[in-house]
Amino acid sequence: DCKQLAPIWDQLGEKFKDHESIVVAKMDSTVNEIEAVKIHSFPTLKFFPAGTEKKVVDYNGERTLDGFTKFLESGGQDGAADEDLEDLDEAEEPELDDEDDQHKKDEL
């Protein structure tokens, strides 16, 4: 459950806090609904790879620091759910300035 995961998630954030291309973030989907992102259970873990494809990878691996680390370091491959990737093309997203493209990061 969410309370058991919180300390592991905090450790993961600490581990990757200085990483130049990975952001570990939390979002309460009960108050921040995003139409294009489907939540099936709590906690739901999703990986948003940087880039223009706007894909989302569901995490289905071990909910351990080691499992999350392998998932991030594999670019969302090791521990990914078997189902198809979600597509965020339908999501409303603010336009970014061209210079912001240089600072894109993967998010989990």
Side-chain angles (χ1 to χ4, degrees), residues 90-108:
E90 299 166 10
E92 291 183 24
E93 186 174 301
E95 292 296 318
L96 299 175
D97 294 336
D98 288 340
E99 73 180 58
D100 288 342
D101 289 343
Q102 299 170 23
H103 304 290
K104 289 187 178 185
K105 294 185 176 189
D106 295 335
E107 295 184 21
L108 174 65

PDB file of all heavy atoms in Angstrom, residues 90-108:
ATOM      1  N   GLU A  90      -3.647  12.372 -26.475  1.00  0.00           N
ATOM      2  CA  GLU A  90      -4.924  13.014 -26.227  1.00  0.00           C
ATOM      3  C   GLU A  90      -4.883  13.960 -25.032  1.00  0.00           C
ATOM      4  O   GLU A  90      -5.778  14.747 -24.833  1.00  0.00           O
ATOM      5  CB  GLU A  90      -5.992  11.947 -26.003  1.00  0.00           C
ATOM      6  CG  GLU A  90      -6.177  11.056 -27.204  1.00  0.00           C
ATOM      7  CD  GLU A  90      -6.971   9.805 -26.862  1.00  0.00           C
ATOM      8  OE1 GLU A  90      -7.526   9.732 -25.749  1.00  0.00           O
ATOM      9  OE2 GLU A  90      -7.022   8.915 -27.704  1.00  0.00           O
ATOM     10  N   ALA A  91      -3.862  13.872 -24.229  1.00  0.00           N
ATOM     11  CA  ALA A  91      -3.772  14.691 -23.016  1.00  0.00           C
ATOM     12  C   ALA A  91      -3.496  16.142 -23.382  1.00  0.00           C
ATOM     13  O   ALA A  91      -2.726  16.424 -24.286  1.00  0.00           O
ATOM     14  CB  ALA A  91      -2.668  14.174 -22.101  1.00  0.00           C
ATOM     15  N   GLU A  92      -4.141  17.026 -22.651  1.00  0.00           N
ATOM     16  CA  GLU A  92      -3.859  18.438 -22.851  1.00  0.00           C
ATOM     17  C   GLU A  92      -2.604  18.776 -22.075  1.00  0.00           C
ATOM     18  O   GLU A  92      -2.520  18.543 -20.878  1.00  0.00           O
ATOM     19  CB  GLU A  92      -5.033  19.276 -22.359  1.00  0.00           C
ATOM     20  CG  GLU A  92      -6.263  19.103 -23.227  1.00  0.00           C
ATOM     21  CD  GLU A  92      -7.398  19.997 -22.755  1.00  0.00           C
ATOM     22  OE1 GLU A  92      -7.126  21.016 -22.100  1.00  0.00           O
ATOM     23  OE2 GLU A  92      -8.536  19.664 -23.046  1.00  0.00           O
ATOM     24  N   GLU A  93      -1.625  19.306 -22.763  1.00  0.00           N
ATOM     25  CA  GLU A  93      -0.347  19.613 -22.137  1.00  0.00           C
ATOM     26  C   GLU A  93       0.086  20.987 -22.611  1.00  0.00           C
ATOM     27  O   GLU A  93      -0.044  21.308 -23.780  1.00  0.00           O
ATOM     28  CB  GLU A  93       0.674  18.557 -22.576  1.00  0.00           C
ATOM     29  CG  GLU A  93       2.005  18.677 -21.898  1.00  0.00           C
ATOM     30  CD  GLU A  93       2.907  17.519 -22.274  1.00  0.00           C
ATOM     31  OE1 GLU A  93       2.547  16.371 -22.031  1.00  0.00           O
ATOM     32  OE2 GLU A  93       3.980  17.794 -22.822  1.00  0.00           O
ATOM     33  N   PRO A  94       0.590  21.812 -21.713  1.00  0.00           N
ATOM     34  CA  PRO A  94       1.032  23.140 -22.143  1.00  0.00           C
ATOM     35  C   PRO A  94       2.192  23.028 -23.123  1.00  0.00           C
ATOM     36  O   PRO A  94       3.011  22.121 -23.028  1.00  0.00           O
ATOM     37  CB  PRO A  94       1.483  23.817 -20.842  1.00  0.00           C
ATOM     38  CG  PRO A  94       1.698  22.708 -19.871  1.00  0.00           C
ATOM     39  CD  PRO A  94       0.812  21.575 -20.305  1.00  0.00           C
ATOM     40  N   GLU A  95       2.234  23.948 -24.065  1.00  0.00           N
ATOM     41  CA  GLU A  95       3.328  23.967 -25.043  1.00  0.00           C
ATOM     42  C   GLU A  95       4.607  24.409 -24.352  1.00  0.00           C
ATOM     43  O   GLU A  95       4.591  25.293 -23.502  1.00  0.00           O
ATOM     44  CB  GLU A  95       3.003  24.943 -26.184  1.00  0.00           C
ATOM     45  CG  GLU A  95       1.857  24.486 -27.070  1.00  0.00           C
ATOM     46  CD  GLU A  95       2.171  23.200 -27.806  1.00  0.00           C
ATOM     47  OE1 GLU A  95       3.306  23.041 -28.303  1.00  0.00           O
ATOM     48  OE2 GLU A  95       1.282  22.338 -27.882  1.00  0.00           O
ATOM     49  N   LEU A  96       5.700  23.798 -24.714  1.00  0.00           N
ATOM     50  CA  LEU A  96       6.993  24.153 -24.140  1.00  0.00           C
ATOM     51  C   LEU A  96       7.779  24.993 -25.126  1.00  0.00           C
ATOM     52  O   LEU A  96       7.700  24.786 -26.325  1.00  0.00           O
ATOM     53  CB  LEU A  96       7.802  22.887 -23.827  1.00  0.00           C
ATOM     54  CG  LEU A  96       7.182  21.920 -22.823  1.00  0.00           C
ATOM     55  CD1 LEU A  96       8.038  20.667 -22.727  1.00  0.00           C
ATOM     56  CD2 LEU A  96       7.079  22.561 -21.454  1.00  0.00           C
ATOM     57  N   ASP A  97       8.558  25.929 -24.589  1.00  0.00           N
ATOM     58  CA  ASP A  97       9.457  26.685 -25.451  1.00  0.00           C
ATOM     59  C   ASP A  97      10.541  25.760 -25.963  1.00  0.00           C
ATOM     60  O   ASP A  97      10.882  24.772 -25.328  1.00  0.00           O
ATOM     61  CB  ASP A  97      10.112  27.834 -24.667  1.00  0.00           C
ATOM     62  CG  ASP A  97       9.099  28.884 -24.244  1.00  0.00           C
ATOM     63  OD1 ASP A  97       8.046  28.985 -24.897  1.00  0.00           O
ATOM     64  OD2 ASP A  97       9.374  29.591 -23.258  1.00  0.00           O
ATOM     65  N   ASP A  98      11.117  26.078 -27.114  1.00  0.00           N
ATOM     66  CA  ASP A  98      12.154  25.234 -27.701  1.00  0.00           C
ATOM     67  C   ASP A  98      13.328  25.024 -26.752  1.00  0.00           C
ATOM     68  O   ASP A  98      13.899  23.955 -26.694  1.00  0.00           O
ATOM     69  CB  ASP A  98      12.668  25.839 -29.017  1.00  0.00           C
ATOM     70  CG  ASP A  98      11.633  25.703 -30.127  1.00  0.00           C
ATOM     71  OD1 ASP A  98      10.738  24.837 -29.998  1.00  0.00           O
ATOM     72  OD2 ASP A  98      11.728  26.448 -31.108  1.00  0.00           O
ATOM     73  N   GLU A  99      13.703  26.052 -25.993  1.00  0.00           N
ATOM     74  CA  GLU A  99      14.855  25.889 -25.108  1.00  0.00           C
ATOM     75  C   GLU A  99      14.551  24.926 -23.961  1.00  0.00           C
ATOM     76  O   GLU A  99      15.439  24.312 -23.425  1.00  0.00           O
ATOM     77  CB  GLU A  99      15.347  27.233 -24.580  1.00  0.00           C
ATOM     78  CG  GLU A  99      14.466  27.868 -23.538  1.00  0.00           C
ATOM     79  CD  GLU A  99      15.025  29.199 -23.081  1.00  0.00           C
ATOM     80  OE1 GLU A  99      15.215  30.081 -23.928  1.00  0.00           O
ATOM     81  OE2 GLU A  99      15.261  29.342 -21.871  1.00  0.00           O
ATOM     82  N   ASP A 100      13.276  24.742 -23.598  1.00  0.00           N
ATOM     83  CA  ASP A 100      12.908  23.786 -22.550  1.00  0.00           C
ATOM     84  C   ASP A 100      13.152  22.347 -22.996  1.00  0.00           C
ATOM     85  O   ASP A 100      13.322  21.459 -22.182  1.00  0.00           O
ATOM     86  CB  ASP A 100      11.438  23.944 -22.159  1.00  0.00           C
ATOM     87  CG  ASP A 100      11.195  25.214 -21.363  1.00  0.00           C
ATOM     88  OD1 ASP A 100      12.177  25.775 -20.839  1.00  0.00           O
ATOM     89  OD2 ASP A 100      10.037  25.636 -21.270  1.00  0.00           O
ATOM     90  N   ASP A 101      13.152  22.086 -24.309  1.00  0.00           N
ATOM     91  CA  ASP A 101      13.372  20.736 -24.819  1.00  0.00           C
ATOM     92  C   ASP A 101      14.734  20.189 -24.402  1.00  0.00           C
ATOM     93  O   ASP A 101      14.910  18.986 -24.286  1.00  0.00           O
ATOM     94  CB  ASP A 101      13.266  20.705 -26.353  1.00  0.00           C
ATOM     95  CG  ASP A 101      11.824  20.905 -26.815  1.00  0.00           C
ATOM     96  OD1 ASP A 101      10.898  20.742 -25.987  1.00  0.00           O
ATOM     97  OD2 ASP A 101      11.629  21.222 -27.993  1.00  0.00           O
ATOM     98  N   GLN A 102      15.699  21.051 -24.175  1.00  0.00           N
ATOM     99  CA  GLN A 102      17.040  20.626 -23.794  1.00  0.00           C
ATOM    100  C   GLN A 102      17.056  20.033 -22.386  1.00  0.00           C
ATOM    101  O   GLN A 102      17.958  19.308 -22.032  1.00  0.00           O
ATOM    102  CB  GLN A 102      18.005  21.808 -23.819  1.00  0.00           C
ATOM    103  CG  GLN A 102      18.149  22.462 -25.165  1.00  0.00           C
ATOM    104  CD  GLN A 102      18.934  23.755 -25.021  1.00  0.00           C
ATOM    105  OE1 GLN A 102      19.676  23.936 -24.080  1.00  0.00           O
ATOM    106  NE2 GLN A 102      18.771  24.649 -25.965  1.00  0.00           N
ATOM    107  N   HIS A 103      16.041  20.336 -21.578  1.00  0.00           N
ATOM    108  CA  HIS A 103      16.050  19.958 -20.168  1.00  0.00           C
ATOM    109  C   HIS A 103      15.052  18.860 -19.849  1.00  0.00           C
ATOM    110  O   HIS A 103      14.650  18.716 -18.722  1.00  0.00           O
ATOM    111  CB  HIS A 103      15.763  21.199 -19.305  1.00  0.00           C
ATOM    112  CG  HIS A 103      16.715  22.316 -19.576  1.00  0.00           C
ATOM    113  ND1 HIS A 103      18.038  22.262 -19.200  1.00  0.00           N
ATOM    114  CD2 HIS A 103      16.548  23.494 -20.197  1.00  0.00           C
ATOM    115  CE1 HIS A 103      18.634  23.381 -19.596  1.00  0.00           C
ATOM    116  NE2 HIS A 103      17.756  24.126 -20.183  1.00  0.00           N
ATOM    117  N   LYS A 104      14.655  18.075 -20.844  1.00  0.00           N
ATOM    118  CA  LYS A 104      13.688  17.009 -20.590  1.00  0.00           C
ATOM    119  C   LYS A 104      14.319  15.909 -19.760  1.00  0.00           C
ATOM    120  O   LYS A 104      15.479  15.588 -19.920  1.00  0.00           O
ATOM    121  CB  LYS A 104      13.176  16.438 -21.909  1.00  0.00           C
ATOM    122  CG  LYS A 104      12.272  17.397 -22.628  1.00  0.00           C
ATOM    123  CD  LYS A 104      11.663  16.757 -23.825  1.00  0.00           C
ATOM    124  CE  LYS A 104      10.718  17.736 -24.496  1.00  0.00           C
ATOM    125  NZ  LYS A 104      10.020  17.160 -25.584  1.00  0.00           N
ATOM    126  N   LYS A 105      13.518  15.340 -18.880  1.00  0.00           N
ATOM    127  CA  LYS A 105      13.969  14.253 -18.019  1.00  0.00           C
ATOM    128  C   LYS A 105      12.932  13.152 -18.030  1.00  0.00           C
ATOM    129  O   LYS A 105      11.751  13.394 -18.219  1.00  0.00           O
ATOM    130  CB  LYS A 105      14.146  14.740 -16.573  1.00  0.00           C
ATOM    131  CG  LYS A 105      15.251  15.753 -16.401  1.00  0.00           C
ATOM    132  CD  LYS A 105      15.434  16.072 -14.933  1.00  0.00           C
ATOM    133  CE  LYS A 105      16.597  17.000 -14.717  1.00  0.00           C
ATOM    134  NZ  LYS A 105      16.910  17.154 -13.296  1.00  0.00           N
ATOM    135  N   ASP A 106      13.391  11.915 -17.807  1.00  0.00           N
ATOM    136  CA  ASP A 106      12.463  10.816 -17.589  1.00  0.00           C
ATOM    137  C   ASP A 106      11.839  11.013 -16.220  1.00  0.00           C
ATOM    138  O   ASP A 106      12.474  11.507 -15.307  1.00  0.00           O
ATOM    139  CB  ASP A 106      13.205   9.463 -17.586  1.00  0.00           C
ATOM    140  CG  ASP A 106      13.821   9.128 -18.938  1.00  0.00           C
ATOM    141  OD1 ASP A 106      13.321   9.635 -19.957  1.00  0.00           O
ATOM    142  OD2 ASP A 106      14.778   8.351 -18.957  1.00  0.00           O
ATOM    143  N   GLU A 107      10.566  10.618 -16.071  1.00  0.00           N
ATOM    144  CA  GLU A 107       9.889  10.736 -14.791  1.00  0.00           C
ATOM    145  C   GLU A 107       9.254   9.422 -14.416  1.00  0.00           C
ATOM    146  O   GLU A 107       8.732   8.730 -15.261  1.00  0.00           O
ATOM    147  CB  GLU A 107       8.786  11.814 -14.852  1.00  0.00           C
ATOM    148  CG  GLU A 107       9.331  13.208 -15.088  1.00  0.00           C
ATOM    149  CD  GLU A 107       8.274  14.266 -15.041  1.00  0.00           C
ATOM    150  OE1 GLU A 107       7.213  14.023 -14.454  1.00  0.00           O
ATOM    151  OE2 GLU A 107       8.507  15.342 -15.581  1.00  0.00           O
ATOM    152  N   LEU A 108       9.325   9.118 -13.142  1.00  0.00           N
ATOM    153  CA  LEU A 108       8.671   7.920 -12.611  1.00  0.00           C
ATOM    154  C   LEU A 108       7.847   8.331 -11.438  1.00  0.00           C
ATOM    155  O   LEU A 108       8.232   9.080 -10.609  1.00  0.00           O
ATOM    156  CB  LEU A 108       9.703   6.871 -12.155  1.00  0.00           C
ATOM    157  CG  LEU A 108       9.149   5.643 -11.458  1.00  0.00           C
ATOM    158  CD1 LEU A 108       8.295   4.818 -12.407  1.00  0.00           C
ATOM    159  CD2 LEU A 108      10.258   4.810 -10.892  1.00  0.00           C
TER     160      LEU A 108
END
